[in-house]
Amino acid sequence: MIRFRPRGRSADLYADLCAALAAALLVLVAVLVGRRVQDAHHSLFVHWPPLFADWDPHVGPGTPAAVLVALAAVVYGPALALRLPWRRLLAVSWAAALAWTWSLALVDGWQRGVAGRLTTRNEYLTVIGRFHDVPAALRDFTRHIVSGPPGAWPAHIAGHPPASTLTFVLLDRVGLRGGGWAGAWCVTVGATACVAALVTIRALADERLARRAAPFLVLAPAAVWVGVSADGYFMAVAAWSVALLALAVTGRSVGWAALSGLLFGLTCYLSYGLTLVALIMAAVLVSGRHGVRARPVILVALAAGAAVVPVLFTIVGFDWWEAYRLLVTRYYQGVGGTRPYGYWVWADLACAVLITGVATAAGLRRTGALLVRRPRDVLSAPGGPGAAARLALLVSAALLALLCADLSGMSKAETERIWLPFALWLLASGAFLGRPRAWLTAQAVLALLLNHLLFTGW
């Protein structure tokens, strides 16, 4: 018997396709098993497992734009990413990410897809009226986390530190009231995350890899959930904290480290689970350790910046640790205590496949292979050889953060939006792939199918 043994580039492509197929099979198994568990026990509390979504084939006003943006990104994206001047590439990437996210959101129409997203009973805008006296609301915040007593916070408010709710309170105070403005804020800010990722990759790895990653960061299936959820906004804040630290450790102003710390502190007060972004920032410090050794004040500035937001909230009277303890109680009071860990601990990974795409599965295979073959390159200084290994370290740190969140048991379901801040960095592994147009086509088709076949409410 003659066995097919691909070599060189053909072997890489064969392995990539196997990784993509394995990811697709994981999703299929999660759907089939989830359907059976939900029908038999009604314990998953999602209508279309593993996603928090409903089967709802439809088209909408955003459909033509979404198809056109996808075609343009697939046909012209890789070439433009290599040719455009760097600053213009950043601007074009943000504009393209905005167009992609807005068009996908508007497939569901303005009200259902944008303006109504953050006004449902569990969302942030429902409690704006309870923040007339902000200091008093913060002092009493923890008293309303646990279910039972009158005035308990809705699920999303109880499930996050108060900086997330305060964002929308401040928007309301400056006159940007209602779900339309709140949705626009999340999409506009969330789309900058791809720019933050490009800045980080260029600083820590090199510009060539950043340019190769750009189309994958723009044409992400994750955009289905960035538009519109507050987690898209959280993703951008976390991404910029990483990007500014990357600039600081690679020789830019130490002030970037202080700003990075400030944004990281804010990130921790937007979502408890995003403390795991510290793992990604640790990877940045490892990659840029030469710069840290040359200027240890970077760590001082980072720590000082990171202390600002926690100190301010503590002075006002909000206790983060107590709030998190009470959140765990609230989590197990609700569906989190019923949803089976044995299903979600692996089905949540299927959700990760759906927000990052099969191209990312192939990219992660190359990431792992690269680290195994050239582990010492991770320790090379930015700007020198080993750029690919340093990017692989960054991607691996994000994967580790995602796995920690998964194993914690505090992320059962709805991870397609909750894990957006980690998924962003996994998308960057697309820089390692050959034949980018083919992989981008797969990414675009997945996003369009998800958005047109399902209604992804929460």
Side-chain angles (χ1 to χ4, degrees):
M1 177 183 289
I2 299 176
R3 294 184 178 179
F4 173 62
R5 295 183 178 179
R7 297 181 179 180
R9 291 184 180 180
S10 296
D12 275 337
L13 178 59
Y14 178 75
D16 290 345
L17 292 174
C18 288
L21 178 60
L25 286 175
L26 175 64
V27 172
L28 178 61
V29 172
V31 171
L32 296 178
V33 173
R35 187 70 272 159
R36 182 164 185 173
V37 172
Q38 180 64 9
D39 289 344
H41 305 289
H42 305 286
S43 59
L44 300 185
F45 294 94
V46 293
H47 296 154
W48 205 86
L51 295 177
F52 195 90
D54 292 291
W55 180 256
D56 181 23
H58 63 286
V59 295
T63 298
V67 173
L68 288 175
V69 171
L71 284 173
V74 169
V75 175
Y76 301 108
L80 283 176
L82 296 177
R83 288 203 313 262
L84 287 173
W86 176 250
R87 291 186 179 180
R88 190 174 299 174
L89 173 62
L90 296 181
V92 169
S93 296
W94 183 31
L98 275 173
W100 179 232
T101 308
W102 272 115
S103 60
L104 288 173
L106 290 172
V107 168
D108 296 321
W110 171 254
Q111 183 58 38
R112 192 168 80 146
V114 179
R117 289 283 188 168
L118 298 173
T119 62
T120 56
R121 63 187 181 91
N122 285 321
E123 285 287 0
Y124 302 97
L125 268 63
T126 60
V127 300
I128 296 295
R130 294 173 63 176
F131 280 79
H132 290 304
D133 185 340
V134 171
L138 294 178
R139 284 193 298 272
D140 292 339
F141 193 88
T142 55
R143 298 180 186 177
H144 305 292
I145 292 177
V146 176
S147 293
W153 296 120
H156 287 185
I157 292 82
H160 294 81
S164 51
T165 305
L166 277 182
T167 299
F168 301 102
V169 171
L170 293 175
L171 285 175
D172 184 82
R173 293 284 175 86
V174 300
L176 303 180
R177 298 182 177 89
W181 283 112
W185 168 266
C186 292
V187 171
T188 304
V189 177
T192 68
C194 72
V195 179
L198 291 176
V199 169
T200 304
I201 297 167
R202 183 179 187 242
L204 291 180
D206 62 20
E207 188 172 313
R208 180 185 65 86
L209 284 171
R211 289 177 177 276
R212 288 180 60 86
F216 292 94
L217 290 164
V218 168
L219 201 64
V224 172
W225 289 272
V226 175
V228 176
S229 75
D231 295 88
Y233 155 54
F234 304 162
M235 173 182 70
V237 176
W240 281 108
S241 70
V242 175
L244 295 178
L245 182 60
L247 292 177
V249 300
T250 52
R252 310 298 174 88
S253 169
V254 173
W256 291 126
L259 287 174
S260 170
L262 181 66
L263 289 181
F264 176 66
L266 175 59
T267 298
C268 295
Y269 277 71
L270 290 171
S271 176
Y272 297 103
L274 293 188
T275 52
L276 288 170
V277 171
L279 293 174
I280 304 174
M281 298 179 78
V284 173
L285 291 174
V286 170
S287 292
R289 72 192 188 288
H290 300 284
V292 175
R293 286 176 182 172
R295 292 188 297 175
V297 70
I298 287 174
L299 295 178
V300 176
L302 178 66
V308 172
V309 173
V311 166
L312 289 176
F313 274 94
T314 302
I315 289 173
V316 173
F318 172 75
D319 186 334
W320 191 97
W321 294 101
E322 174 68 5
Y324 181 71
R325 183 186 69 81
L326 294 170
L327 167 64
V328 174
T329 301
R330 169 72 178 262
Y331 184 78
Y332 286 100
Q333 282 180 321
V335 297
T338 304
R339 284 171 170 160
Y341 182 84
Y343 171 76
W344 288 109
V345 73
W346 59 270
D348 278 340
L349 300 180
C351 291
V353 172
L354 290 170
I355 61 176
T356 59
V358 293
T360 299
L364 289 176
R365 184 209 69 81
R366 293 208 179 201
T367 297
L370 196 153
L371 287 176
V372 169
R373 289 198 309 266
R374 297 158 57 184
R376 293 185 180 180
D377 285 356
V378 170
L379 302 179
S380 62
R390 290 191 296 276
L391 175 56
L393 176 65
L394 186 69
V395 172
S396 299
L399 180 60
L400 176 61
L402 185 149
L403 292 175
C404 288
D406 185 34
L407 294 173
S408 73
M410 291 294 290
S411 297
K412 289 181 285 188
E414 301 181 61
T415 52
E416 59 268 21
R417 61 173 179 81
I418 297 170
W419 287 354
L420 287 175
F422 309 128
L424 171 73
W425 303 100
L426 304 186
L427 291 164
S429 65
F432 299 134
L433 296 173
R435 305 189 181 188
R437 286 190 176 89
W439 290 113
L440 286 170
T441 299
Q443 299 289 84
V445 169
L446 174 60
L448 290 170
L449 287 175
L450 286 170
N451 217 78
H452 286 83
L453 295 178
L454 303 172
F455 175 65
T456 54
W458 37 83

